[in-house]
Amino acid sequence: MSKHNEAHIASGASQRNVVILVVGTLFVLDVLMRPMMPRNETRYLAVAWEMLTGNHWLVPFKNGVPYSDKPPLLFWLINLVWSPGVSEYAARLVAPALSLIALWLTGRLADRMRPGGDFGNATITVLGTMVPFYFIAGQTNFDGILMLAMVTCASALWRIGMAPQPRLLHWLGFGVTVGFGIYAKGPVIFVHAMPLLLGMRWWAGPGRFSFVGMLASLLVAIALIALWLVPAYVTGDAAYREAILWTQSAGRVVNSFAHARPIWYFLAILPVLLFPWIALVGFWRTRPLDKAERFAWVWLVGPLILFSLISGKQPAYLLPVMPAAALLLANRWPEQMGKPWIVAGVLSGLIIILLAVPGGALGKSIADLLDLRAALLMVVPFALGIGAMMLRPRLVWLAVPTIGLALNIAYFAGPAGKIMSPVEIATILASKDGKIGHAGPHYHGDFQFAGRLRAPLTVLSDAEAIAKFAENNPDGLIVGRLDDGLRPDWDPQNTVRYGEKGNWAVWNIEDLSQ
């Protein structure tokens, strides 16, 4: 290898490491500067906490009942990092760490598609600075770990598709990655992996797909998931068994019980998901499709169509296809980007909006989240980001990290950090652990981990249940939202602004006797 090529590869590796270091540092700052967010982070930490305190290692529990919404892998990993001791920050870094591994593996996949390092560097830069990667992959949820599983699935299929004569061992490896995907977020991994598998003849050419190989990989995946599912099925109750086999998979497909949105939803939000790269005209050059681009298009478009046909839709559902979008965009990395005026214009517009927020321009509930001092502080990273990318257009990748840093400043320096945190209410409740009721039928575990509560809250679904709970727990507490129709009929002891839904209250039952 010539000295020029060695220097070129070393420079590429350095660029890749800089991007990963920047994204990783911002993930850490994100965890340190903002509170655990309702409802996903509070709920998933609550389930992991209940797994630890109740020894529910096979069947996860939430507020004292089996929790069938998600498989247990993320909860197991959180408890693994808790081995030396329970830590909120350590738990909240698990999912971002898995996302960073997915980012690195996507670069490795790109290296195999286009050896030399430049394509891998460009792919990592694009993926790590997309809106979904920064804002979804950095939070405690299941989409980052599913993205990691899907990248491993895609890497295994690319190896099969490019091998002169795919061996059974390659297919067995693909089965292992599918099993990992099921552990990550359930059967939804098939929505992502099946288009690539069934479209192999188009992107890889004839002779690569094998029914025997597919069946062998499916058997491996089933065997892996059976290691957990069979004992969980046996030890779980009837409702849990029905949920994990039907409600949480086919039920969401046929008629979503949550997040139902119209068929065009994902197409409408795609420009936001691809920001800032979609704003650069240099990425829209046409060119003949080679195998790598065909592979990425199937990986991107197949799940996009399938999820559009499914009733339940969330932006996070598309996170596992973002590596494919990054591969496509990186394959068109322009020699000259020009001045990124559109991206700078978007950031400037955000500056105007955030300065207007404290004045109530977007409504009082939003104005409560940001004061003028925090808004002015947020302008600093925006101004630095705009200046950097105008001087050096290749620094346009800093656009989304700039937005993320500014948002975290709002949480850290403004009232949003206190309003979005469950800690104030949880601290009040902690003194009466075991004697706490929740006014309202839907409790999502908001205060379980924040208050280190060991007993479930009693869910009070009607006025009669509230009265009976108060009678049986004369020194207990009741918590609930003030604007809900169902609430105790005496004055609350505390009122707290919590989350986006408004004011919550804590009622002291002892006040009834005074």
Side-chain angles (χ1 to χ4, degrees):
M1 184 180 293
S2 68
K3 290 184 178 179
H4 173 76
N5 287 338
E6 288 178 355
H8 180 71
I9 292 173
S11 173
S14 176
Q15 176 187 334
R16 180 178 309 195
N17 293 337
V18 168
V19 174
I20 291 178
L21 181 63
V22 169
V23 175
T25 301
L26 290 171
F27 275 170
V28 173
L29 288 176
D30 183 55
V31 167
L32 296 177
M33 295 177 74
R34 67 170 172 80
M36 66 178 102
M37 302 294 284
R39 298 278 172 73
N40 283 346
E41 286 196 323
T42 51
R43 172 172 47 202
Y44 299 146
L45 289 181
V47 174
W49 170 248
E50 205 157 337
M51 177 177 277
L52 175 67
T53 57
N55 289 317
H56 302 305
W57 302 106
L58 284 175
V59 178
F61 273 60
K62 187 190 80 175
N63 198 42
V65 297
Y67 178 68
S68 60
D69 282 16
K70 299 291 186 297
L73 180 57
L74 182 60
F75 308 127
W76 288 341
L77 294 175
I78 291 175
N79 273 282
L80 184 63
V81 303
W82 279 348
S83 299
V86 174
S87 163
E88 175 196 331
Y89 295 130
R92 291 172 59 202
L93 283 171
V94 170
L98 297 171
S99 299
L100 278 181
I101 296 173
L103 178 64
W104 180 75
L105 287 178
T106 303
R108 295 285 294 173
L109 174 59
D111 288 340
R112 287 199 291 276
M113 293 175 164
R114 303 261 194 281
D118 286 346
F119 186 43
N121 293 334
T123 302
I124 282 179
T125 302
V126 172
L127 176 60
T129 56
M130 282 179 165
V131 167
F133 191 89
Y134 187 82
F135 288 98
I136 300 172
Q139 294 194 15
T140 300
N141 57 40
F142 290 83
D143 301 290
I145 190 171
L146 181 63
M147 175 175 61
L148 173 58
M150 186 53 213
V151 172
T152 63
C153 281
S155 298
L157 286 174
W158 178 259
R159 184 185 297 273
I160 294 170
M162 294 301 107
Q165 290 184 330
R167 293 183 298 173
L168 182 60
L169 188 62
H170 294 151
W171 285 101
L172 297 181
F174 172 61
V176 172
T177 64
V178 172
F180 173 38
I182 297 173
Y183 273 103
K185 203 182 174 183
V188 71
I189 187 64
F190 290 109
V191 176
H192 291 283
M194 290 306 287
L196 272 179
L197 177 64
L198 300 179
M200 185 175 285
R201 182 181 178 83
W202 184 68
W203 60 261
R208 303 301 196 279
F209 179 78
S210 163
F211 278 108
V212 174
M214 184 184 70
L215 289 175
S217 61
L218 186 60
L219 288 175
V220 168
I222 292 173
L224 286 175
I225 199 65
L227 295 176
W228 161 70
L229 189 60
V230 171
Y233 185 88
V234 171
T235 56
D237 60 17
Y240 183 76
R241 287 194 286 269
E242 180 184 353
I244 59 174
L245 293 181
W246 166 252
T247 312
Q248 296 301 330
S249 53
R252 285 184 186 270
V253 174
V254 176
N255 185 20
S256 175
F257 38 85
H259 317 307
R261 290 190 170 95
I263 192 170
W264 45 262
Y265 176 77
F266 283 128
L267 198 59
I269 67 170
L270 202 55
V272 176
L273 299 183
L274 298 179
F275 181 83
W277 306 102
I278 195 172
L280 301 177
V281 293
F283 285 96
W284 296 102
R285 295 175 299 176
T286 58
R287 57 192 301 174
L289 295 180
D290 59 10
K291 289 183 176 179
E293 288 204 299
R294 288 186 177 192
F295 177 86
W297 274 115
V298 175
W299 181 356
L300 172 64
V301 176
L304 186 64
I305 294 174
L306 293 174
F307 277 119
S308 294
L309 298 175
I310 294 171
S311 59
K313 299 179 182 67
Q314 287 273 69
Y317 293 176
L318 293 187
L319 183 63
V321 306
M322 288 298 111
L327 288 169
L328 289 169
L329 291 167
N331 208 30
R332 287 167 167 74
W333 188 277
E335 294 295 327
Q336 296 293 330
M337 292 185 180
K339 297 292 184 183
W341 296 108
I342 297 177
V343 178
V346 171
L347 297 186
S348 300
L350 290 175
I351 290 177
I352 295 172
I353 291 173
L354 70 89
L355 288 176
V357 165
L362 301 181
K364 185 180 182 308
S365 61
I366 295 180
D368 289 344
L369 298 173
L370 189 67
D371 58 24
L372 185 58
R373 177 180 59 102
L376 292 173
L377 284 175
M378 292 172 69
V379 171
V380 176
F382 273 114
L384 292 175
I386 293 172
M389 74 178 64
M390 296 312 291
L391 289 174
R392 298 191 64 182
R394 282 183 176 270
L395 293 179
V396 70
W397 61 276
L398 288 173
V400 171
T402 295
I403 297 173
L405 183 60
L407 187 59
N408 283 329
I409 289 175
Y411 283 121
F412 190 71
K418 180 175 180 294
I419 290 173
M420 300 305 290
S421 172
V423 170
E424 183 174 356
I425 296 177
T427 302
I428 299 171
L429 300 180
S431 63
K432 296 297 178 72
D433 191 9
K435 301 176 181 178
I436 307 168
H438 178 270
H442 304 296
Y443 173 61
H444 299 284
D446 290 51
F447 313 114
Q448 230 72 20
F449 177 72
R452 304 296 193 269
L453 305 179
R454 290 180 174 271
L457 272 61
T458 302
V459 174
L460 310 171
S461 55
D462 53 39
E464 183 179 353
I466 291 177
K468 187 174 182 180
F469 180 82
E471 179 181 348
N472 294 334
N473 300 274
D475 57 346
L477 299 173
I478 296 176
V479 64
R481 283 175 50 188
L482 266 180
D483 58 350
D484 262 359
L486 181 65
R487 48 176 289 186
D489 57 4
W490 67 92
D491 291 336
Q493 171 183 279
N494 307 84
T495 59
V496 179
R497 172 74 192 276
Y498 168 57
E500 299 172 346
K501 301 295 184 181
N503 291 325
W504 284 59
V506 177
W507 289 268
N508 188 344
I509 299 175
E510 290 178 335
D511 291 344
L512 275 174
S513 59
Q514 296 177 3

